[in-house]
């Protein structure tokens, strides 16, 4: 139901908005009494959840929170009338309590939510929820997506897939993926705001930093391993291009089940039957969802996968956090902060009692004071007081001034005292240098261990120590991030440019096992060629 606004709607923010009068249901948000209007609409939303459709003004008044509840019912009745004029509520005569003819002439109404008003409240709920969402990097969602993809691959391998199972699995897959994408986006946005607003509570930020870095590193590791598994499953479901893709068959099954429930007569006069139009719409929606899932995990020659961009953003957040911590530590050790100094100086100027004090503060702060190296004895001061010298007098024309012999001899009026003791930090520098040499040695050993001296199978790498295995995972993740649909060979370089990996698919379907002191790594076997670009392990 769409009603014309009352004459005072324009003055209260209810002027027609672009798109027609149907958007006037949002007019109550910009009125001076918007808090009461929001509370009244909240009463109707809660009543509908309890299957109560119609409400009287006194019932609405009783259901309002005490903080916004007026002392009388009349303001609530006026608010209901305005909401009815804007189209949020439907107004009907209240005939249940009529006992005499005179009651028909009294103003008695009951109200209920309109379709437009309910839609506006749902939109506001989503808006408020989106503003308050902080999001999360859900490593568990990655495992769930991989599990559901394996279930779809198993279902499509059967001669007659169970349509109900396929439809429910696809629904669960899309819902889990949408939750993962939305939460990741919200988390990265809130993370950037946390980094930008670190000055709000330094102690809380420092305590939060270590947990956040560990959280990011754990998710990045899961994204590398699970992302590669998900990419392989998606490539298998998309097919090799020589025949019908298994994913297309799954999407047709889901679209047919949804089209079977389509209501008839949605487009009267159309040439295409309702069932065919519903099937086309449903299939188009499922293809769009599937393409979105593939673009999140599979790269193309022109566009990197969204998961790869998320990994880069998460990795970039760690150095940003460390830079913020460095700035905080510098400020805590007493190093100069020019902006803080100027703010303090501005407060001192504001608190100065008079202009003379402000001038003295200015001369002291910016060294704009008289030349203190000039010696003025009492006789000179008395003579100057008796016969003042104008400020514009040239030094050439005025009498000479005695200069301190120390200034003429040393160039400085003040006696130089003993220099402050310099803190000896040679031990700390030696420790850091030794630590850097040790880390460089471990990384060089890991590079030499991983250099394959030619193409080998992943299963032939043997046991890797923790440092070599960590470097291997980074290289493998970079290579799999560029593995798109139909890819059989890819090349990637490490972030520091010291290692290059060339990965090629193998048709035998064997499983590679790489053992480490912390556990065993399993995955599809590939042909791999790892090259140390620094020359330390090159052939």
């Amino acid at each position: 139901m769409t009603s014309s606004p009352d004459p005072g709607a324009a003055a209260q923010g209810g002027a027609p908005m672009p798109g027609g009068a149907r958007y006037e249901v949002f007019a109550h948000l910009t009125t001076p009494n918007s808090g009461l209007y929001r509370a009244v609409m909240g009463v109707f939303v809660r009543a509908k959840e309890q299957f109560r459709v119609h409400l009287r003004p006194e019932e609405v008044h009783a259901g309002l929170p005490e903080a916004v509840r007026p002392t009388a019912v009349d303001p609530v009745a006026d608010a209901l009338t305005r909401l009815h004029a804007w189209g949020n509520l439907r107004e009907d005569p209240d005939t249940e309590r009529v006992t005499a003819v005179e009651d028909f002439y009294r103003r008695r109404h009951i109200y209920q939510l309109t379709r437009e008003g309910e839609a506006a409240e749902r939109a506001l709920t989503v808006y408020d929820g989106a503003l308050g969402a902080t999001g999360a990097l859900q490593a568990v969602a990655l495992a769930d997506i991989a599990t559901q993809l394996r279930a779809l691959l198993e279902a499509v391998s059967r001669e007659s897939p169970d349509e109900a199972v396929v439809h429910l699995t696809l629904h669960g897959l899309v819902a889990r993926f949408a939750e993962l994408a939305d939460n990741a986006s919200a988390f990265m946005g809130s993370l950037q705001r946390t980094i930008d607003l670190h000055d709000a509570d330094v102690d809380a930020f420092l305590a939060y930093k270590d947990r956040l870095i560990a959280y990011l590193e754990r998710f990045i590791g899961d994204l590398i391993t699970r992302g590669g598994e998900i990419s392989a499953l998606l490539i298998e479901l998309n097919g090799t291009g020589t025949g019908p893709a298994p994913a297309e068959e799954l999407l047709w099954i889901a679209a047919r089940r949804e089209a079977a429930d389509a209501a008839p007569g949605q487009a009267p006069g159309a040439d295409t039957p309702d069932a065919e139009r519903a099937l086309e719409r449903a299939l188009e929606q499922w293809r769009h969802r599937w393409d979105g899932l593939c673009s999140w995990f599979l790269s193309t020659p022109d566009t990197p996968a969204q998961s790869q961009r998320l990994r880069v953003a998460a990795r970039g957040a760690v150095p940003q956090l460390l830079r913020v911590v460095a700035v905080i530590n510098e400020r805590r050790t007493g190093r100069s902060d020019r902006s803080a100094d100027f703010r303090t100086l501005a407060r001192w100027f504001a608190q100065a009692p008079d202009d003379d004090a402000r001038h003295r503060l200015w001369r002291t702060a910016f060294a704009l004071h008289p030349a203190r190296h000039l010696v003025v004895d009492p006789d000179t001061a008395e003579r100057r007081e008796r016969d003042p010298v104008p400020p514009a007098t040239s030094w050439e024309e005025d009498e000479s001034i005695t200069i301190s012999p120390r200034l003429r001899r040393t160039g400085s009026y003040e006696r130089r005292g003993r220099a402050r003791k310099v803190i000896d930090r040679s031990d700390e520098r030696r420790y850091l240098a030794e630590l850097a040499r040790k880390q460089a040695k471990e990384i060089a050993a890991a590079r030499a261990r991983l250099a394959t001296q030619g193409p080998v199978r992943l299963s032939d790498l043997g046991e890797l120590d923790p440092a070599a295995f960590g470097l291997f995972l980074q290289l493998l993740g970079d290579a799999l991030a560029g593995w798109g649909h139909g890819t059989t060979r890819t090349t990637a370089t490490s972030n520091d440019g010291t290692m290059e990996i060339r990965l090629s698919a193998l048709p035998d379907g064997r499983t590679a096992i790489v053992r480490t002191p912390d556990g065993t790594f399993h995955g599809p076997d590939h042909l791999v060629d790892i090259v140390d670009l620094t020359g330390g392990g090159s052939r």
Side-chain angles (χ1 to χ4, degrees):
M1 172 180 177
T2 303
S3 302
S4 59
D6 63 339
Q12 298 294 333
M17 300 174 64
R22 57 180 178 171
Y23 295 126
E24 290 178 358
V25 291
F26 295 101
H28 65 288
L29 301 176
T30 57
T31 60
N33 211 15
S34 59
L36 177 60
Y37 293 131
R38 288 298 308 276
V40 168
M41 293 300 294
V43 173
F44 279 92
V45 171
R46 291 190 295 272
K48 186 167 185 179
E49 293 174 353
Q50 300 171 359
F51 304 102
R52 298 169 58 199
V53 179
H54 296 91
L55 293 177
R56 296 182 174 89
E58 53 269 22
E59 294 174 337
V60 176
H61 179 267
L64 289 173
E66 294 184 1
V68 297
R69 183 190 301 163
T71 56
V73 183
D74 292 342
V76 177
D78 294 337
L80 293 172
T81 303
R82 299 295 298 276
L83 289 169
H84 161 64
W86 286 321
N88 300 79
L89 299 177
R90 173 181 170 181
E91 184 181 80
D92 296 312
D94 185 6
T95 58
E96 293 184 5
R97 295 183 295 178
V98 174
T99 57
V101 177
E102 292 79 6
D103 292 335
F104 281 101
Y105 297 99
R106 297 176 183 174
R107 185 182 177 185
R108 297 177 183 272
H109 294 99
I110 55 177
Y111 297 88
Q112 72 177 67
L113 274 176
T114 63
R115 185 175 60 178
E116 293 84 355
E118 184 178 0
E121 290 303 308
R122 289 180 179 177
L124 292 173
T125 301
V126 173
Y127 178 79
D128 293 336
L131 289 182
T134 58
L137 297 177
Q138 299 172 307
V140 178
L142 294 170
D144 294 345
I145 291 174
T147 301
Q148 289 164 333
L149 287 174
R150 284 194 295 268
L152 290 174
L153 195 59
E154 181 181 355
V156 80
S157 63
R158 300 172 183 171
E159 294 184 2
S160 56
D162 189 329
E163 295 186 354
V165 173
V166 169
H167 192 198
L168 290 175
T169 306
L170 276 174
H171 262 296
L173 173 64
V174 170
R176 203 70 173 112
F177 165 67
E179 184 181 1
L180 169 67
D182 293 343
N183 275 278
S185 177
F187 177 82
M188 295 310 297
S190 62
L191 174 61
Q192 188 59 51
R193 289 192 294 270
T194 301
I195 295 174
D196 294 340
L197 302 177
H198 62 274
D199 284 335
D201 192 343
V202 173
D203 294 331
F205 176 79
L206 292 175
Y208 171 67
K209 176 261 303 179
D210 293 332
R211 299 195 304 270
L212 181 60
I213 291 179
Y215 180 73
L216 289 172
E217 290 178 345
R218 184 172 66 251
F219 176 77
I220 291 171
D222 291 336
L223 184 60
I224 292 174
T225 54
R226 291 293 184 183
E229 180 183 1
I230 292 172
S231 300
L233 291 170
L234 288 173
I235 291 172
E236 192 170 354
L237 284 169
N238 285 333
T240 59
T242 57
E248 188 69 14
E249 180 182 352
L250 298 173
L251 300 183
W252 270 99
I253 291 174
R256 282 198 301 268
R257 281 180 59 84
E258 291 186 358
D261 293 333
Q266 293 182 355
D271 297 333
T272 308
D274 295 333
E276 293 184 15
R277 290 198 307 274
L279 178 59
E280 291 174 359
R281 287 195 298 268
L283 183 60
E284 182 181 358
Q285 291 176 355
W286 277 110
R287 284 173 176 168
H288 179 71
R289 295 166 184 166
W290 185 261
D291 290 342
L293 175 62
C294 292
S295 66
W296 223 82
F297 291 100
L298 298 178
S299 298
T300 63
D302 299 327
T303 307
Q306 293 295 327
S307 59
Q308 184 177 359
R309 294 180 177 177
L310 175 62
R311 185 178 61 177
V312 172
R315 280 179 173 175
V318 176
Q320 292 183 32
L321 285 169
L322 295 179
R323 284 195 293 269
V324 170
V325 173
V327 172
I328 293 175
N329 289 333
E330 288 178 359
R331 293 177 180 176
R332 285 191 164 187
T333 55
R335 296 184 65 173
S336 176
D337 183 358
R338 184 172 298 178
S339 61
D341 292 344
F342 278 122
R343 285 194 296 268
T344 303
L345 184 60
R347 285 195 296 270
W348 289 351
F349 272 109
Q351 296 169 359
D354 50 34
D355 287 343
D356 292 337
R358 296 185 184 94
H359 285 299
R360 288 194 300 272
L361 178 60
W362 175 270
R363 289 193 298 270
T364 304
F366 299 102
L368 298 179
H369 46 68
R372 296 180 179 177
H373 59 271
L374 300 180
V375 177
V376 179
D377 53 19
D379 295 338
T380 305
E382 184 180 355
R383 188 171 60 255
R384 288 293 176 88
E385 186 177 354
R386 185 174 61 253
D387 187 13
V389 178
T393 303
S394 172
W395 286 73
E396 230 174 13
E397 300 174 357
D398 197 17
E399 62 178 320
S400 60
I401 299 295
T402 304
I403 298 178
S404 169
R406 184 179 292 111
L407 175 65
R408 185 185 297 276
R409 183 175 65 254
T410 64
S412 174
Y413 175 74
E414 296 181 356
R415 182 189 300 274
R416 293 187 178 274
R418 183 179 178 183
R420 291 187 300 174
K421 185 178 179 181
V422 179
I423 300 176
D424 185 9
R425 301 191 183 275
S426 56
D427 293 339
E428 288 84 352
R429 285 195 292 270
R430 281 195 295 271
Y431 169 75
L432 292 176
E434 181 63 27
L435 183 61
R437 283 194 296 269
K438 183 179 178 181
Q439 291 177 348
K441 185 177 179 181
E442 291 178 353
I443 294 173
R447 287 201 303 266
R449 171 65 182 85
L450 286 179
T452 58
Q453 309 298 329
V456 298
R457 284 178 172 267
L458 282 178
S459 53
D460 295 335
L461 287 179
E463 184 171 350
L464 299 177
D465 58 83
F469 183 67
L471 182 57
F472 166 72
L473 279 184
Q474 293 180 10
L475 289 171
L476 186 62
D478 292 335
L480 292 177
W483 197 278
H485 177 65
T487 304
T488 59
R489 179 180 175 83
T490 185
T491 301
T493 306
S494 61
N495 292 335
D496 57 1
T498 59
M499 300 289 290
E500 182 180 78
I501 181 172
R502 303 161 188 165
L503 196 66
S504 303
L506 292 173
D508 52 12
R510 289 174 53 184
T511 300
I513 299 177
V514 179
R515 303 186 184 280
T516 71
D518 297 328
T520 305
F521 174 79
H522 299 264
D525 204 1
H526 287 73
L527 196 65
V528 62
D529 185 9
I530 301 177
V531 181
D532 185 359
L533 299 179
T534 62
S538 60
R539 52 186 180 276

